[in-house]
Amino acid sequence: MRFSLAPYRLRLLFRAAFLLLALAAVAMALYLLWEEKQLSYRNYQYGFKKTEAQIAAKLHHPTGQLALLNPGRAPVAPLRPLLLPYSAIDFDDPTKVQQAIEMAGCLVQYGDYGAVCAAIGSNPWAGGFVYLAGSFASGALQPHPKGEREVGQAHRLRVAVSLRGQTYRWIAPFETLANPDAEPGAGLRGRLTGFADLGGDVVPSRPMKDFRGWIWQDGHCVDGEDGPDCRRRSFYSVRLPVGVLRDALFQKTRPVWPPADLDRIRLRVEALPPGDGTALFDSDRGGATPPFSLADLAPLLLPGETLRIRKLPAAAGEPELIRLVGEIDQPYEPPRWLAGIIRRLPVEGFDSPLEARETVATPLGSYELVLTGNVGTVNKGLAVVATRVSWFVGAMLLAIGLAWLAIEIGIVRRITALTRRAASVSRVVRGTGAVDGAGLEDLRGPDELGVLAAGLADLLQRVKEDVEREHIRAEQEKDMWHAVGHEIMSPLQSLMALHGGRDDDSSRYIARMQQAIRILYGSASPSEAFQSTTLQVEAVDVDAFLRNVASNAPCVGIAEVRYAGGNGPVLVRADEYSLEDVVTHVLRNADRYRPAGTPITLTLAAGGNGATVTIHNQGPAIDEEMIDKIFEYGVSDQPESGAHGNRGQGLFVAKTYMAKMGGTITAVNTGDGVSFVLGLQRAG
């Protein structure tokens, strides 16, 4: 007897279709996870390179070099001098001093406009001096008459330096310098004459020879209310002659620089008012904000990344300068079977370690940065997505299984029984000619198959009765049975084709589910470049330049930019394209914070050796604690910057370009908003 698959072909096709649907759902999920793993790995590589570029740019900047040269920085109280990435500071020029300490980032912020930078130069032959530069707020400075040994009625600085068992003390009263060319309200400028501090307000008759100090008081009130008694910011620059350090430079042996005991030097700086009042500024005051340190790089690291820094050449057994590891949150732990599937998804290069190296050169040597990635966090992050996908896949498989079970029990089983019993009737009729009901009563029902079974049963019963009554019509009945069999098989085949076809509602629903999930899941170092940019500085008419910027601002989406024109051409030293970048960054910053409908004003003021461009917008003031930090890379008040693109990069670029053009940029809170002041050198 030959076995034939013909009677089972439709049933096998139907069951194979459901099996293929289940396999397609699983394959689709695996493909989506594989694509997600590839995308996550590419994103991690991009983030890794971005982190490396940010860290390298930060450490190539003088602020980062300062942190490299002072890795074991102690707390700021008491004050300790830092090793600068410069050979010395031109302490006689306030602009150069401010530019040097701001670029190096050595200022310790104390609040209430108090700040100080204590440092030594990287070149020992610059004299072995300790430099102090800082600011404080006070009323109008009271000068000390020259030749008067009583200094208690003048503003003065008191400085103490302790090292190697010795303590040096100075007191430096303010002595004004006549400036007949100064404009009204331009502020004060004077000398800080250093005397040995004898413990009282009486100083020796002669000042100390190598002590140098200057002080400049701004003409603007820091509290926003102009008046003769308002507080103004005073900026000072002092060079301290420390005898022990200077004597070590002239020994026969090669001097060790920086001094090995640099971190054990203690300084204290006090700004004293006239009389016996409380000090206007004291470096021993608590709550100071320290400068940038290497430990501040930790937030830039992605989870699991490791940053190692060492000095070159590295000797065997020499410890690393610092080792930082990105903080890892408690990850979601997926089931072991799901973690195994994710781990086995093939992604090119996934098993190779990620590592980046960078060398940073400083005046006192080179340092190597080694950043190591942790691709294991990609799998841990993917586990969350995989868990969500597993729920969808499970729901799809459950729906497919329920649909198959319902059709199998409700349709296929009854069709099989009906077919089998019909075949049995056919065999009996062909064999003996007898006809019975074939046991179809249990297949009766209100649906199509029940009606068909009932009709078949009634028909068979009628045929049986006719056969018994009219035996003589056996041949006719036999022909009728052939006709009836033909008519029954045709609707059965039609029903099988109908419920297994592509237009079935269940198939369309499942296809829509697949399409919905495909739509849901299928779709989907700059800073170093800024530092290495070379600008072409030339003479630029800043008046015409600002007119052009104001007229073209609406073309880049910044409306209501107004320029209060000057009195004619003003030539400054600048790179026109870089200056346009600076102004554009500031304009976009102003546009983001100004109230709707208010203008942004540009004003130009020209002096003897420089020109000042002021960009003012109405809006909220900048927090005083942030006003000196907004120009640092990565600083932004938008917690989701690094998401919005706002990496705190615009103002950093502006400050860097202005420094390269020999200018400055500062932010000043005004009564109704914020002004950014750009200082440029005059050409010619």
Side-chain angles (χ1 to χ4, degrees):
M1 181 177 178
R2 295 180 59 187
F3 176 76
S4 176
L5 289 177
Y8 309 99
R9 184 168 53 198
L10 294 178
R11 276 177 281 174
L12 291 175
L13 179 61
F14 168 76
R15 290 165 182 169
F18 274 95
L19 178 61
L20 289 177
L21 283 175
L23 292 177
V26 175
M28 180 192 65
L30 292 177
Y31 180 77
L32 288 176
L33 287 179
W34 174 71
E35 278 198 335
E36 187 68 22
K37 187 174 181 179
Q38 282 188 318
L39 182 61
S40 299
Y41 181 60
R42 288 197 297 268
N43 289 339
Y44 182 82
Q45 286 181 311
Y46 174 76
F48 178 80
K49 293 178 182 179
K50 196 171 188 178
T51 300
E52 188 269 337
Q54 288 177 343
I55 294 175
K58 190 69 174 178
L59 294 182
H60 277 292
H61 192 269
T63 302
Q65 294 188 20
L66 182 77
L68 287 173
L69 295 175
N70 302 272
R73 185 176 301 168
V76 295
L79 192 63
R80 296 166 174 81
L82 301 176
L83 178 62
L84 289 172
Y86 316 124
S87 59
I89 292 180
D90 187 357
F91 60 92
D92 292 326
D93 189 329
T95 301
K96 293 182 179 179
V97 174
Q98 286 183 339
Q99 182 176 337
I101 63 178
E102 288 177 2
M103 289 289 289
C106 63
L107 278 174
V108 179
Q109 304 289 340
Y110 289 84
D112 195 25
Y113 307 100
V116 65
C117 170
I120 63 173
S122 60
N123 186 356
W125 307 114
F129 297 102
V130 174
Y131 299 97
L132 291 176
S135 62
F136 61 89
S138 69
L141 294 178
Q142 297 298 320
H144 166 250
K146 292 183 179 180
E148 177 65 41
R149 297 182 61 186
E150 172 65 37
V151 297
Q153 299 305 314
H155 283 84
R156 57 205 181 277
L157 286 185
R158 179 186 294 160
V159 184
V161 178
S162 300
L163 74 161
R164 302 175 189 175
Q166 300 187 39
T167 301
Y168 299 86
R169 301 180 186 275
W170 298 272
I171 188 165
F174 163 66
E175 294 181 358
T176 186
L177 295 178
N179 187 9
D181 298 330
E183 299 178 359
L188 296 175
R189 176 177 180 268
R191 186 192 308 274
L192 292 173
T193 305
F195 296 91
D197 187 4
L198 303 178
D201 292 334
V202 178
V203 297
S205 58
R206 293 191 177 185
M208 301 196 70
K209 180 179 179 182
D210 293 328
F211 185 98
R212 294 288 187 274
W214 299 93
I215 190 167
W216 300 268
Q217 187 174 50
D218 195 358
H220 301 288
C221 299
V222 297
D223 297 327
E225 297 181 0
D226 294 334
D229 298 327
C230 69
R231 296 197 307 161
R232 297 175 172 84
R233 183 181 302 204
S234 297
F235 179 78
Y236 59 88
S237 173
V238 176
R239 186 189 70 178
L240 301 176
V242 181
V244 174
L245 297 180
R246 301 184 65 190
D247 294 342
L249 299 178
F250 300 99
Q251 295 178 355
K252 294 182 180 181
T253 59
R254 181 180 179 86
V256 177
W257 197 262
D261 56 353
L262 179 63
D263 60 338
R264 292 192 291 273
I265 300 177
R266 303 291 186 268
L267 290 96
R268 184 177 184 183
V269 184
E270 297 175 274
L272 304 177
D276 298 329
T278 305
L280 301 171
F281 171 78
D282 188 349
S283 62
D284 281 355
R285 184 196 314 165
T289 302
F292 171 79
S293 66
L294 295 179
D296 295 333
L297 295 173
L300 297 178
L301 299 177
L302 296 175
E305 290 182 343
T306 302
L307 175 64
R308 294 175 289 133
I309 303 177
R310 61 178 181 174
K311 190 172 182 179
L312 297 178
E318 183 179 355
E320 297 170 344
L321 205 63
I322 194 170
R323 183 186 182 94
L324 301 174
V325 179
E327 183 178 356
I328 301 179
D329 299 332
Q330 290 297 328
Y332 165 74
E333 291 295 337
R336 296 181 63 181
W337 64 269
L338 187 58
I341 292 176
I342 296 173
R343 190 166 51 252
R344 288 174 174 80
L345 292 174
V347 173
E348 183 180 358
F350 189 83
D351 296 329
S352 302
L354 281 178
E355 186 175 275
R357 294 177 180 268
E358 180 77 16
T359 301
V360 178
T362 68
L364 295 181
S366 297
Y367 295 83
E368 183 184 42
L369 284 67
V370 181
L371 181 63
T372 306
N374 181 13
V375 295
T377 56
V378 174
N379 283 344
K380 294 179 181 179
L382 191 61
V384 179
V385 178
T387 301
R388 296 173 185 159
V389 173
S390 67
W391 283 106
F392 281 105
V393 174
M396 291 173 61
L397 294 178
L398 179 61
I400 293 173
L402 291 177
W404 171 81
L405 188 62
I407 296 175
E408 185 75 23
I409 295 175
I411 299 177
V412 176
R413 183 182 64 85
R414 296 168 66 192
I415 292 176
T416 303
L418 185 59
T419 304
R420 185 172 59 250
R421 294 176 189 181
S424 176
V425 170
S426 178
R427 287 194 299 270
V428 170
V429 170
R430 286 198 305 268
T432 64
V435 180
D436 56 16
L440 298 177
E441 296 298 328
D442 61 329
L443 297 179
R444 290 176 178 269
D447 58 359
E448 293 88 344
L449 287 176
V451 172
L452 181 62
L456 182 58
D458 294 341
L459 180 60
L460 289 176
Q461 183 64 29
R462 179 68 179 269
V463 170
K464 180 181 179 181
E465 293 175 354
D466 289 344
V467 169
E468 291 176 350
R469 288 194 307 265
E470 301 181 15
H471 186 68
I472 62 174
R473 298 173 59 186
E475 290 299 327
Q476 295 179 351
E477 290 292 335
K478 185 176 180 179
D479 295 338
M480 183 189 69
W481 277 111
H482 283 292
V484 170
H486 179 271
E487 293 299 324
I488 290 175
M489 290 302 297
S490 294
L492 285 177
Q493 293 175 353
S494 299
L495 283 174
M496 291 179 184
L498 174 63
H499 287 281
R502 295 184 177 180
D503 294 334
D504 187 272
D505 291 341
S506 297
S507 299
R508 291 198 301 272
Y509 179 76
I510 293 171
R512 290 180 62 191
M513 290 176 60
Q514 291 177 335
Q515 180 67 16
I517 293 179
R518 280 197 294 268
I519 294 174
L520 182 61
Y521 287 100
S523 304
S525 167
S527 301
E528 183 179 359
F530 295 143
Q531 296 301 324
S532 60
T533 301
T534 301
L535 305 185
Q536 301 296 325
V537 179
E538 57 186 6
V540 176
D541 183 359
V542 70
D543 177 68
F545 170 80
L546 293 176
R547 292 181 186 276
N548 186 51
V549 167
S551 62
N552 292 334
C555 298
V556 295
I558 306 176
E560 293 294 327
V561 177
R562 301 175 183 176
Y563 170 53
N567 295 324
V570 177
L571 297 180
V572 297
R573 290 177 52 79
D575 183 310
E576 184 172 357
Y577 298 113
S578 300
L579 182 59
E580 185 173 354
D581 285 344
V582 171
V583 175
T584 301
H585 283 306
V586 177
L587 286 177
R588 291 193 181 279
N589 189 77
D591 183 56
R592 187 161 57 248
Y593 290 99
R594 64 172 172 174
T598 60
I600 301 174
T601 59
L602 306 177
T603 57
L604 173 64
N609 296 324
T612 301
V613 178
T614 302
I615 303 175
H616 174 75
N617 68 279
Q618 300 179 24
I622 303 174
D623 190 347
E624 293 298 338
E625 296 182 356
M626 293 292 297
I627 200 166
D628 292 324
K629 292 186 176 182
I630 59 176
F631 296 100
E632 297 180 6
Y633 191 90
V635 175
S636 175
D637 65 346
Q638 302 180 12
E640 300 293 333
S641 65
H644 298 294
N646 298 324
R647 305 195 56 82
Q649 180 174 297
L651 293 182
F652 169 79
V653 173
K655 177 181 176 181
T656 303
Y657 282 176
M658 289 300 295
K660 288 181 176 292
M661 291 185 291
T664 60
I665 179 173
T666 57
V668 179
N669 288 324
T670 61
D672 60 345
V674 178
S675 292
F676 282 83
V677 182
L678 281 62
L680 296 166
Q681 298 179 4
R682 294 289 294 270

